[in-house]
Amino acid sequence: MSVSSDPSPLSLDRFGIAEATDAIRAWLLRVRWFGGKERRVARIDLDDVGVMREERPTVLYTLWRVAYEGGESELYSAPLGIRPAPHPVSELGADHLVATVARGRSTLLVYDALADPEAAAELWRMLADRRRLATARGTLVCVALRELDVAAGDPPRLLGVEQSNSALVRGQRDFLKWSRRLEPGATRELEMAEALGARHFPHIPELRGHISYRRPGELPGLQAILQAYLENGAEGWAMALTSLRDLYAVAEDAGHASARQRHELVEEQGGSFQAEASRLGELTAELHVALADPALPGDMTPARAGPAELDRWASTMTRELDRLLGSGNPAVAPLTDKRAIVAARFDALRRLHDGGVTIRDHGDYHLGQVLRTDEGWKIIDFGGEPSRDAEERRDRASPLRDVAGMLRSFDYAAAAALAERIRPTDPLWDPLLASGNAWAKANREAFWAAYLGRIGGSGLLPDEGATVVILRAFELSKAVYEVVYELGHRPDWVSIPLGFLVAGTP
Amino acid sequence: MSGDLQDRARTERVNPGSGPSAEELATAASADRPAVVTLIPPPELRRQPEPAPAPAGRDPLWSKHAVFYELLVRGFADSDDDGVGDFGGLIQHLDHLRWLGVDCIWLLPFNDSPMRDGGYDIKDYYSVLPAYGTVEDVRELVARAHDMGMRVVMDLVLNHTSDQHPWFQSARSSPDSPYRDYYMWSDTKNRYTDARIIFIDSETSNWTWDDQAQAYFFHRFFSHQPDLNYDNPKVHEEIRNICRFWLDLGMDGFRLDAVPYLYAREGTNCENLPETHGFVADLRATIDREYGGDRILLAEANQWPEDVVTYFGSEEHPECHMCFHFPLMPRMFMGLRQEQRYPITEILKRTPALPNRTSQWGLFLRNHDELTLEMVTDEERDYMWQEYARDPRMKLNLGIRRRLAPLVGNGRRQMELFYGLLLSLPGSPILYYGDEIGMGDNIYLGDRDGVRTPMQWSDDRNGGFSRADFAQLYLPPLMDPVYGYPAVNVEAQRRNESSLLHWLRRFIAVRQRWPVFGMGSFEALDAANPSVFAYLRAQEEHVVLCVNNLSRFAQPVELDLRRYAGMTPVEMLGKVHFPKIGELPYLLTLAPHGFYWFTIENLP
């Protein structure tokens, strides 16, 4: 393909696809990873362009500035492939085929380069060569932490699920996450991978490389991260649900049961999860010990939570509780009566003198963030809680926040697995959930006992009394967050976290 | 003189069943006699009739794709109505094994024995327990099996003998006995103290005092089974000669019993010692050299895979052709109970690659011993006990003595799923007699007899096993309404096309048409659903996809098969063409405990 002589560096004209610009805009608005679907878009402009690969296929690095009404804007990253038709990429479908451009007698296909293994392989070559690629307005800097054998194995394949980024797997070897939204500034995910990698923490996927985007006068942003692919993995969530399906099937057969029978049901269950919960508890403690290393840089250095910090936690938690109650949603009415009890649990933080050590924790810890593999459990996704902004996600927190997240996740799994079978309004819900709660209790205890067993003596936690107060406060706070989330997404499920809040702490 | 004893020994060998008495040996060994006194049958008597040629010529890799069938002569069929199975009965029923698709029969010990440990206590390696028949009967069995295209391997108990063996009787009689050094003696029990006690239910020490010998003797198993002393080269020669005797008769190989324990060394746990490997490698080299390379050694080494794999030896110094994969079996049961694949995939991941071209794993669901739990962690062992053996009578020696059918609550789907795994995971499957029809067990019988009851041939008297009086039978056959011979027997299942027996035969036949099951590579496939265990077996252009649902509920799974885009999964039993593989995840739905085998084919 010949490159035209259009002098403007910020135009697609010299690649012969200027006519595709509108089609690219339309494509950006419809793809799953575009996060501004509920906002009013004012305009979309090409923000940067560079050539990642010259020929067959041509691969362009493009950035698009999406400006919303009201002045805010976001930057989206879209590597585009260009091939003359006919070519099988024309079959990619509306998610990946962007535009068809007539060029004289021939036709050019413009498409999502990540969906074309030949084009996507260029990402691995860039990493392997540790390339620095100058674009019209910036530079892509590729870092490989080990030698990459790009010739070996299958070509990279795009994974099915796409949220805020696109993931590629190359021949069961490594896993590349391409940020679709480019944000300047240090990235939690990469920092954590580097810090834990340097401390030889074995329960995360090995970090193998990354690509950052730099532009003069701005902080660099993480464009891509390359990690070891975790073979034969299944989410903790799926494992827990498997165990719970087994439990509920037996409980249904057994009919109504006493508390003691329910306990026995869980203890003698074939598909028990308790051994896994216990292993997860140990591993979580090991994670926290690794992250409590005083040698960690900058805002990752551990600190100690004194009264001021405890007061801040209590205030934040209470504020979020009151924001929920103030929403006026009738579904939260049962909580209104219990506000004082929940708020008292938060206030209790203010009476403590020591909140223990605060660290850069996992930040969004639950059963969906742990993968069972043949080498045991691995922890993934260190990006922090998605609903919080980037700065807030970097804040140090008590390791008990992660613990609370996982403990809540056991409760959630018990309810979610039951919700697969029956609706919460079903008369069988309560008797069956009692069995599920016995399951959650057993697994919470297994996790907590193993966590304490491993973290003991590390000095990370405050005294026993304070530990319990803080853990309960984080659990309740997490449940408040869950209620907010469910009101927005799955109103049927509000009763799950709400039940926990109303019942107080178990 | 020594010549006298050898002559006598020769004569005794030809008339199996009556070895030289201890007194004779002691006399022979007395005073100024030279120490070289052995019981080796001399060459002219070891020369035997040319055995019938083994099936398929001399294929040195036959064991890599064979289906094995383990049986005990005592329990299979009784031809002379004395209540005990015998070689005559086995010969009469060879057609059953051929019909089923068995390639190789593994005979549990049949040498003359006081039978205090199921025949693993041998008192004469050159003869046959009289109740089973004679050496000539064994010769006929091997010849008939070969004629029918099957092979035969036998148990070789080489770690120890019975205390009734003339070697031991002589050895204990005097410190000057030429057989004294055939065994391991000590004045104190405080040697090899790091060696664990294997039969913890019945033994308190690996040393037992012998009044006659005025010394302790070493034994890794029961105290009536003294360990042979492998530091004595004469013991090596004895074992080699025993092997030659049975190989000359046509035997296709040996299952080496308790192989990790041959040597003992102070300061070690006396397992898997380099000297032991050296002996096995020598034995293999001898047999390969003298018998042309198609006779096999099968190791019983109940250890972790990374230790077991050493018994295959190296490319230069091969040891055994096959090793049992012990830890896989309890993990399969755990996977079924937990309804997820990790107990299985973990252990497969931990299984090292086969080190040379002749090596192969031996896979089994159940065997004559208890469900082996030595190789699982304490927590998992507790779990297995809880799941499978709530009745304390089922617990024995850290194991569980149940047959396949009772272990899965007589669930046909579960049995089929287990057989599906057994026949498709990397290794050669070993069936246990009776499990092909879903026989039960009798946990009220002592020791491990519960899984050794008579084979159930028909609903005739004694299950068609024997026409002896009921009270005369070596063990009572099962008669309960679920597993008893009126309900579960070969004859009825032969007549019923949808029986487990017919089902298994069809799957064995499919397996045997596809060498990829025996020789192919193995790759576990990712599946977000932990209840589904999917894997590929591949050899050159042949690719087989196996998908198993370990759950009692129906399950969906999406598999990334894009590397085979454009190709078609063809279900192997019915040759049903499934939808072509495309770029999207390949969706399959599985019935409760269901499984599929597909070939991946390039169809026009």
Side-chain angles (χ1 to χ4, degrees), chain A residues 59-361:
Chain A
V59 182
L60 300 183
Y61 177 75
T62 66
L63 291 177
W64 300 81
R65 169 86 50 198
V66 178
Y68 299 104
E69 289 182 4
E72 283 179 48
S73 72
E74 289 175 332
L75 203 53
Y76 283 91
S77 165
L80 296 174
I82 307 171
R83 286 183 185 270
H87 189 272
V89 295
S90 61
E91 309 291 320
L92 280 173
D95 284 349
H96 303 294
L97 185 61
V98 180
T100 312
V101 181
R103 287 269 295 166
R105 282 199 200 154
S106 66
T107 303
L108 291 180
L109 300 164
V110 182
Y111 60 94
D112 179 4
L114 301 188
D116 172 10
E118 235 182 303
E122 196 60 33
L123 300 177
W124 267 264
R125 271 190 291 273
M126 288 172 63
L127 278 160
D129 300 347
R130 299 175 168 85
R131 217 177 286 168
R132 293 177 70 91
L133 176 75
T135 62
R137 299 181 61 195
T139 313
L140 277 177
V141 180
C142 301
V143 175
L145 299 173
R146 50 181 265 177
E147 296 312 309
L148 299 174
D149 183 3
V150 289
D154 292 342
R157 304 268 191 184
L158 194 60
L159 285 183
V161 187
E162 290 177 61
Q163 295 284 343
S164 57
N165 47 54
S166 295
L168 293 140
V169 173
R170 191 183 61 119
Q172 313 277 305
R173 290 159 181 266
D174 30 38
F175 178 84
L176 184 134
K177 244 200 290 194
W178 183 268
S179 312
R180 288 300 191 168
R181 230 189 100 194
L182 198 63
E183 291 174 288
T187 314
R188 202 182 195 277
E189 176 103 49
L190 181 60
E191 282 176 335
M192 298 292 272
E194 282 176 335
L196 291 168
R199 276 149 195 82
H200 306 290
F201 181 71
H203 308 292
I204 51 164
E206 178 205 358
L207 179 66
R208 293 185 172 168
H210 49 86
I211 304 174
S212 59
Y213 176 75
R214 291 157 197 256
R215 187 183 285 184
E218 287 181 22
L219 289 171
L222 181 69
Q223 178 58 79
I225 183 167
L226 184 74
Q227 292 171 306
Y229 177 72
L230 297 175
E231 272 181 77
N232 195 27
E235 278 186 14
W237 180 254
M239 299 280 290
L241 257 54
T242 300
S243 169
L244 280 153
R245 281 184 204 119
D246 172 56
L247 178 83
Y248 285 129
V250 177
E252 260 180 12
D253 290 346
H256 286 264
S258 69
R260 190 186 152 71
Q261 285 166 328
R262 283 197 298 270
H263 174 73
E264 280 169 6
L265 200 66
V266 170
E267 285 304 311
E268 290 171 11
Q269 186 196 355
S272 171
F273 192 73
Q274 286 173 57
E276 304 286 10
S278 175
R279 282 190 277 273
L280 281 172
E282 279 179 26
L283 156 89
T284 307
E286 284 163 22
L287 171 74
H288 289 158
V289 170
L291 291 171
D293 182 349
L296 281 164
D299 57 4
M300 295 179 80
T301 317
R304 189 125 209 138
E309 184 75 359
L310 286 157
D311 185 70
R312 202 171 64 81
W313 293 350
S315 302
T316 307
M317 291 174 182
T318 311
R319 190 166 60 243
E320 283 167 2
L321 171 68
D322 287 335
R323 190 185 304 150
L324 169 64
L325 292 173
S327 68
N329 192 314
V332 298
L335 184 59
T336 311
D337 301 339
K338 306 276 185 178
R339 186 211 172 266
I341 300 172
V342 178
R345 298 275 190 176
F346 298 154
D347 280 337
L349 292 171
R350 297 194 168 97
R351 288 194 291 277
L352 303 176
H353 302 291
D354 175 27
V357 175
T358 57
I359 56 171
R360 173 75 70 77
D361 62 351

Side-chain angles (χ1 to χ4, degrees), chain B residues 372-390:
Chain B
T372 307
L373 295 183
E374 287 167 54
M375 288 306 113
V376 297
T377 63
D378 287 352
E379 174 199 290
E380 287 169 344
R381 183 160 48 233
D382 290 348
Y383 171 86
M384 293 293 288
W385 267 349
Q386 187 181 297
E387 283 314 311
Y388 284 100
R390 294 213 169 88

Side-chain angles (χ1 to χ4, degrees), chain A residues 232-234 239 372-374, chain B residues 331 340-346 530:
Chain A
N232 195 27
M239 299 280 290
R372 178 74 156 88
T373 73
D374 289 331
Chain B
R331 297 300 195 111
Q340 45 102 345
R341 65 178 179 267
Y342 287 100
I344 305 170
T345 56
E346 263 177 0

